Amino acid sequence: MSERESMPCDVLIVGGGPAGLAAAIRLKQLNSELEVVVLEKGSEIGAHILSGAVVDPKALDELLPDWRESCPMAEVPVTDNWHWVLSKSGKTSLPHLMMPPFMSNDGCYTGSLGNMCRWLGEQAEGLGVMVFPGFPAAEVIVGEDGAVAGVITQDMGVAADGSHKGDYQPGMEIHAKYTLFAEGARGHLTKRMKARFDLEADCQPQVYGLGIKEIWDIAPDKHVPGRVIHTQGWPLSESESWGGGFLYHQANGQVALGFVTALDYRNPWVSPFQEFQRWKQHPAIREYLEGGKRVAYGARAINEGGWQSVPRLAFPGGALIGCAAGFVNVPRIKGSHTAMKSGMLAAEAAAAAIGRGEEKTALMDYDAAVRSSWIADELKLVQNAQPAVAKFGGDFGTIVAGLDMWLRYLKMPIIPAMKHEPDYELTGRADLFPKIVYPKPDGVISFDRLTSVAYSYTNHAENQPVHLVVKDMDLQKRSELGVYGGPSQFYCPAGVYEWLVDETTGEPKYQINSQNCVHCKTCDIKDPNQNITWVAPEGGGGPNYPNM
């Protein structure tokens, strides 16, 4: 057995997204002598970042006031904002006066969050932060005192059968006084920390949506830089599901368009990918795409639980920041600014603790700071938006959500914080719902999944352990297929899961095409028996998103 190398640091940050990089930068701003390490599982900073994105610059202004001089996100301010309710062939615009002022996109910017993170990574490295892309954290180091003491990175060169290949390299132990988990929605180590320290004992369960996105080059005469369009209604209204679409006119003649399906849907035959393809064929969306060309594709789960689903944030030696904790403002479809602010607050608490000579304590000052910050103020205003629609449906639920937001804005709330049910518990039996027959893709506006995955540039090293772990294959066959109709075939946006017929036995056979995985985490969330666990694959594996 090869002995693992080890490396000490002051603060270790697991995840190179907006929250993790903001935390790293803030730590160095506070104390340039601190040794700060950022681990990123993607092949480079930004490779696994996927968001719309329309960014509220509030946290950027606090962290790096001069960011507009060099950050690519500053290139396209939002200039034009629309919200459409779609029917099958028409649309109705919602007047802005119906929405509370905090729903406005005035002063926001639209662009690639991945490119913004690449820029943040450069700022962090310029301050002396050690950034290591291609090094996923695989295990958490927990000391004899029960405190988190760092992580072990993923072993490299392990074959599918568990044997060591010729290029085998054991993972490195990185020891830290404090470890900040910034893995994004449904991080695999975050799940373990929530369970170990019972962080969700006093909050509602987290719920999620699946966001699927494409980048298109469109005809110049159709491009309006800074135009932002959001939609709701069709096509999800036909399956009594909910969610919505977005179309953002960004730099270089491109639009970012995508579709978010809330994962609390009951009909197991629903395919979020196919609903996205249908949405693109709506006349109001298709008119922008005709004559254009798709250049990128990807998918990612999004936190939708809101304020009532935020867990306890600190535990001995560690803390949750960003989407690992769940700070997305659902009706605004924004979470980067709140994620960054949480990273900054965690950095301030960690730097202060180290300055006092402490290590591996619970940063309860950070937890308290978040709960008294503008993060809390903002998320409390919208905390009933998701559960109202989930409970009352798209039409009436939107009215209830809007009324609740207005009353909270006017400091006259009458509806208490509503509760959530875990997404997987809401999946219904297959025999209770009609099968959905989706139209075939035309190859011009709509596409199949495998062709789409090619535009995510995802790649995993061959002959490595499958990183999508099915705990009980008999249960999968008996229940996931036998009771629920095999919904993993439909909810996965990358064609990872297939139920085939074994040619020898004639029995159903579960095939996992793990090389297709774009790390969206939907299977980990929506599997009705919680029988699939996503774990980190070998370093650098997964999508390589350009400009996403």
Side-chain angles (χ1 to χ4, degrees):
M1 294 292 292
S2 301
E3 185 177 344
R4 296 188 188 278
E5 296 182 5
S6 65
M7 172 184 176
C9 65
D10 291 306
V11 182
L12 169 62
I13 300 167
V14 180
L21 294 169
I25 291 168
R26 189 73 183 117
L27 282 161
K28 282 293 192 176
Q29 289 174 337
L30 293 167
N31 183 350
S32 62
E33 300 301 315
L34 290 174
E35 292 185 340
V36 181
V37 171
V38 174
L39 296 180
E40 166 54 41
K41 67 183 177 70
S43 60
E44 64 172 354
I45 292 292
H48 289 181
I49 296 294
L50 184 144
S51 179
V54 172
V55 172
D56 185 327
K58 190 171 185 177
L60 268 172
D61 288 339
E62 293 182 16
L63 182 67
L64 297 164
D66 297 330
W67 69 274
R68 290 173 181 79
E69 297 177 6
S70 57
C71 179
M73 186 58 72
E75 189 172 350
V76 183
V78 173
T79 58
D80 189 11
N81 193 57
W82 296 89
H83 189 111
W84 298 337
V85 178
L86 301 183
S87 62
K88 188 170 185 178
S89 58
K91 69 178 190 292
T92 302
S93 293
L94 285 183
H96 294 304
L97 290 176
M98 292 179 62
M99 304 179 195
F102 61 78
M103 291 292 291
S104 171
N105 282 315
D106 290 346
C108 294
Y109 296 80
T110 183
S112 163
L113 190 66
N115 288 341
M116 190 183 94
C117 286
R118 291 178 177 95
W119 179 84
L120 285 171
E122 293 170 358
Q123 310 312 303
E125 289 183 310
L127 292 171
V129 175
M130 292 175 280
V131 179
F132 298 127
F135 284 87
E139 301 289 341
V140 179
I141 301 171
V142 179
E144 292 182 0
D145 59 356
V148 171
V151 303
I152 303 173
T153 63
Q154 184 68 281
D155 294 344
M156 306 285 281
V158 178
D161 62 4
S163 63
H164 294 173
K165 295 186 282 189
D167 59 351
Y168 172 75
Q169 289 184 334
M172 177 182 288
E173 294 185 5
I174 302 182
H175 297 267
K177 296 174 182 176
Y178 292 100
T179 303
L180 306 182
F181 293 86
E183 298 179 288
R186 199 67 171 196
H188 74 298
L189 298 185
T190 299
K191 276 179 61 180
R192 298 177 196 176
M193 295 302 96
K194 285 181 174 181
R196 173 180 282 273
F197 296 103
D198 199 16
L199 301 180
E200 294 182 305
D202 299 318
C203 70
Q204 290 295 304
Q206 186 59 260
V207 294
Y208 301 86
L210 172 59
I212 304 176
K213 176 183 174 181
E214 294 177 347
I215 299 287
W216 283 64
D217 292 328
I218 66 169
D221 62 327
K222 298 180 180 181
H223 190 254
V224 184
R227 172 166 290 179
V228 165
I229 299 170
H230 293 113
T231 78
Q232 66 181 78
W234 189 87
L236 290 176
S237 54
E238 293 185 354
S239 60
E240 298 184 352
S241 309
W242 76 280
F246 63 86
L247 194 152
Y248 305 152
H249 291 244
Q250 299 178 343
N252 304 315
Q254 292 187 326
V255 293
L257 67 153
F259 200 77
V260 179
T261 302
L263 290 177
D264 61 357
Y265 62 82
R266 297 179 183 274
N267 185 339
W269 306 107
V270 166
S271 167
F273 174 85
Q274 297 285 5
E275 297 293 342
F276 174 42
Q277 303 308 312
R278 294 179 72 202
W279 174 81
K280 287 189 293 176
Q281 296 285 8
H282 190 281
I285 305 301
R286 184 184 177 103
E287 70 171 305
Y288 283 107
L289 305 181
E290 288 179 325
K293 177 184 178 183
R294 181 178 66 161
V295 297
Y297 169 85
R300 187 69 172 91
I302 305 166
N303 295 302
E304 292 192 339
W307 184 247
Q308 55 268 60
S309 294
V310 173
R312 180 158 52 88
L313 300 172
F315 45 93
L320 307 182
I321 64 176
C323 284
F327 296 120
V328 173
N329 184 320
V330 177
R332 291 191 75 199
I333 322 178
K334 292 177 179 61
S336 299
H337 63 304
T338 48
M340 290 181 66
K341 180 62 174 178
S342 71
M344 294 156 63
L345 293 173
E348 290 162 8
I354 293 170
R356 295 191 298 266
E358 299 173 8
E359 59 180 80
K360 303 183 183 68
T361 58
L363 297 172
M364 298 313 296
D365 287 351
Y366 159 59
D367 191 289
V370 168
R371 296 178 195 281
S372 62
S373 71
W374 55 256
I375 297 174
D377 295 339
E378 179 175 328
L379 295 186
K380 287 177 182 178
L381 288 172
V382 300
Q383 65 181 336
N384 284 336
Q386 190 279 347
V389 177
K391 182 176 179 64
F392 299 115
D395 294 335
F396 184 59
T398 297
I399 295 171
V400 173
L403 176 63
D404 184 74
M405 287 191 293
W406 266 112
L407 290 172
R408 288 177 180 274
Y409 173 70
L410 297 171
K411 302 188 185 304
M412 297 187 299
I414 59 174
I415 304 175
M418 298 174 68
K419 296 182 179 181
H420 298 306
E421 296 179 75
D423 296 314
Y424 71 91
E425 291 185 356
L426 295 173
T427 307
R429 284 173 19 207
D431 62 348
L432 299 178
F433 297 88
K435 288 186 178 181
I436 301 174
V437 179
Y438 288 103
K440 292 182 179 180
D442 61 16
V444 178
I445 302 297
S446 56
F447 306 95
D448 63 81
R449 279 188 291 185
L450 293 184
T451 301
S452 297
V453 170
Y455 283 84
S456 72
Y457 309 100
T458 194
N459 182 61
H460 295 86
E462 295 182 358
N463 188 23
Q464 64 169 299
V466 174
H467 67 278
L468 303 157
V469 181
V470 179
K471 289 172 279 190
D472 184 340
M473 194 60 77
D474 288 337
L475 175 63
Q476 204 68 4
K477 183 185 298 185
R478 185 175 66 254
S479 180
E480 200 263 352
L481 177 63
V483 176
Y484 298 101
S488 57
Q489 302 173 98
F490 312 119
Y491 62 58
C492 176
V496 170
Y497 300 100
E498 293 182 279
W499 278 106
L500 307 175
V501 176
D502 189 296
E503 295 181 358
T504 304
T505 65
E507 292 293 314
K509 174 184 175 183
Y510 202 40
Q511 181 162 303
I512 301 176
N513 306 307
S514 59
Q515 69 276 14
N516 289 1
C517 180
V518 295
H519 298 196
C520 73
K521 313 291 181 68
T522 304
C523 54
D524 198 296
I525 297 164
K526 188 61 174 171
D527 180 81
N529 302 296
Q530 293 295 273
N531 195 35
I532 301 175
T533 300
W534 188 99
V535 298
E538 192 168 293
N544 286 280
Y545 292 136
N547 203 33
M548 289 286 260

